[in-house]
Amino acid sequence: MKVLVPVKRVADYNIKVRPKSDGSGVELANVKMSMNPFDEIAVEEAVRLKEAGVATEVVAVSCGTAVCQETLRTALAMGADRAILVETDVELQSLAVAKLVKAVAEKEGAQLVICGKQAIDDDANQTAQMLAALLDWGQATYASKVVVADGNVEVTREVDGGLETVRVALPAVVSADLRLNEPRYATLPNIMKAKKKPLETLKASELGVDIAPRVQMLSVYTPPERKGGIMVGSVAELVQKLKDEARVL
């Protein structure tokens, strides 16, 4: 079974991002970039499936500019066998990424796609669901446990009432939640080995996919600072302040 894992290059989660001075986007110049944390979890799960003898090959794929090769090398150092970069300068939105990953999944003959449930830069949480719809595959989202056996993937997921277990037939798309696993650190020997692993580059135009943006971003700005709260001595004082100061009553 071949497992495909999409990974995204995002601003490091320890960085406090800020908008550009002209409000056209987020300032990424001289900002530390890394693999999306949920995608790290997805790579770890795919590698564990291979170590358990369930998967035969793990292929990492990323869509974007040439600098995304750095993120793919991280996936290779974690244990992925091969990597594919779909290179494009177009600003990619969720639907475009889903279309590109669909084309790669069909080209590679993947039986399972494990995605991070969302990227920490846009928090869209859309790509896995769109990909499953485009491929017409079963999907299991927000996985906290994954078991593959007998041509099915059984996923345990957290819901409001506790835990829910769903089973879908392969091929399938699974999105990884935070509690699925703890990603391993890439050791220095594995980082050196990753430099020799194959990394294929495809042009987005070669895949025959329409990746034109569907949504236009008008401006990016920080939200206004909230005023500090106050303590009130009684219900009567609370009602008075809501009525006279906040004017919500």
Side-chain angles (χ1 to χ4, degrees):
M1 181 181 71
K2 184 181 292 187
V3 182
L4 191 71
V5 186
V7 297
K8 185 177 184 181
R9 183 175 183 264
V10 299
D12 191 86
Y13 68 93
N14 290 310
I15 300 298
K16 184 177 181 179
V17 296
R18 63 182 190 278
K20 294 180 179 178
S21 57
D22 59 0
S24 61
V26 174
E27 184 59 68
L28 295 178
N30 301 317
V31 171
K32 181 183 178 183
M33 307 294 285
S34 61
M35 186 191 300
N36 178 49
F38 289 103
D39 297 343
E40 288 184 339
I41 295 170
V43 172
E44 174 66 25
E45 191 64 22
V47 172
R48 290 187 184 188
L49 288 174
K50 185 186 175 185
E51 291 173 344
V54 176
T56 55
E57 186 179 28
V58 177
V59 182
V61 58
S62 188
C63 307
T65 58
V67 293
C68 294
Q69 292 186 28
E70 177 185 344
T71 305
L72 289 171
R73 291 294 179 193
T74 300
L76 293 172
M78 290 177 65
D81 300 293
R82 293 191 292 117
I84 300 172
L85 172 62
V86 182
E87 192 171 2
T88 178
D89 294 327
V90 176
E91 178 191 352
L92 295 174
Q93 297 172 354
S94 300
L95 180 58
V97 174
K99 288 180 177 180
L100 291 172
V101 175
K102 170 183 179 288
V104 174
E106 291 175 338
K107 177 177 179 292
E108 289 291 319
Q111 289 83 45
L112 178 63
V113 178
I114 306 180
C115 312
K117 72 169 185 177
Q118 66 193 72
I120 62 172
D121 52 0
D122 57 19
D123 278 333
N125 188 7
Q126 296 175 331
T127 303
Q129 293 87 334
M130 290 177 171
L131 175 62
L134 291 170
L135 286 168
D136 196 24
W137 289 3
Q139 62 173 307
T141 54
Y142 317 132
S144 59
K145 182 180 178 182
V146 175
V147 178
V148 179
D150 302 324
N152 297 299
V153 54
E154 191 172 283
V155 169
T156 301
R157 55 203 300 268
E158 296 181 0
V159 295
D160 291 341
L163 297 177
E164 177 183 67
T165 301
V166 296
R167 182 185 294 117
V168 295
L170 294 172
V173 177
V174 173
S175 71
D177 205 350
L178 188 64
R179 294 174 181 82
L180 179 57
N181 60 52
E182 183 71 27
R184 69 192 68 188
Y185 288 103
T187 62
L188 183 58
N190 287 337
I191 292 173
M192 300 305 293
K193 291 177 184 177
K195 295 180 179 180
K196 298 181 180 180
K197 290 184 178 180
L199 195 161
E200 180 184 359
T201 300
L202 301 173
K203 296 293 183 182
S205 56
E206 298 175 14
L207 299 176
V209 174
D210 178 15
I211 57 175
R214 262 58 175 185
V215 179
Q216 180 183 3
M217 182 166 57
L218 300 180
S219 64
V220 177
Y221 56 89
T222 55
E225 292 187 7
R226 297 179 61 183
K227 295 181 180 179
I230 60 171
M231 298 290 291
V232 295
S234 66
V235 174
E237 184 182 357
L238 173 62
V239 173
Q240 181 267 324
K241 288 187 177 296
L242 290 174
K243 183 178 180 180
D244 299 336
E245 297 182 15
R247 300 185 184 278
V248 295
L249 294 179

